Amino acid sequence: MSVTPSAVERVRVSAEPDWYEAAGISLGIRVGNLVFTSGQAPIDAQGAPVGVGDFEAQTRQALANLSTVLTNAGSSLADTVKATVFVTEITQQGVFARLRAEHFPDKPHLAESFVEVSSLADPEWMIEIEAIGLVR
């Protein structure tokens, strides 16, 4: 059995400023008509936490960052097919569901995993969202 290398190129997705460059990771990678984002955190463009202690504010910031990455890759929140949401408090699921309905209103609904973790990369973060989006 032999494996032929794919002709599909991996393209790094970035922003200006690129808030993950210093960490040595990409905001996202586009492969063909798919975009795979890194987990988007509740941080501003300089990497500083936003909405410390406020789950809704942090979620809105993470979703805004996710939207920026997807848009820069030629996709959008409306073209998101899968999201994985990491939270430090599972009890916030209702708040997230309300915000998800605001940001992802179209049907069919996106596929999603909602996972509680003991901590995220920064102890002030309460949420991190990664996604897979389509480029049309």
Side-chain angles (χ1 to χ4, degrees), residues 49-123:
V50 171
V52 175
D54 182 340
F55 183 80
E56 183 167 336
Q58 287 203 359
T59 300
R60 289 188 183 281
Q61 183 66 46
L63 286 165
N65 291 347
L66 181 62
S67 179
T68 296
V69 175
L70 290 166
T71 298
N72 288 358
S75 186
S76 68
L77 290 177
D79 293 313
T80 302
V81 295
K82 170 72 169 101
T84 304
V85 183
F86 302 97
V87 297
T88 57
E89 295 179 34
I90 200 76
T91 59
Q92 297 293 344
Q93 191 167 14
V95 175
F96 184 79
R98 180 173 47 80
L99 296 174
R100 180 193 336 103
E102 283 180 26
H103 290 82
F104 302 97
D106 299 334
K107 292 185 180 179
H109 297 299
L110 69 141
E112 177 188 297
S113 298
F114 193 84
V115 182
E116 182 180 49
V117 295
S118 60
S119 66
L120 293 162
D122 183 313

Side-chain angles (χ1 to χ4, degrees), residues 11-13 18 20-21 24-29 36-40:
V11 178
R12 183 176 183 273
V13 179
D18 187 328
Y20 282 178
E21 177 64 30
I25 60 174
S26 297
L27 290 171
I29 297 288
F36 302 85
T37 73
S38 290
Q40 296 305 305

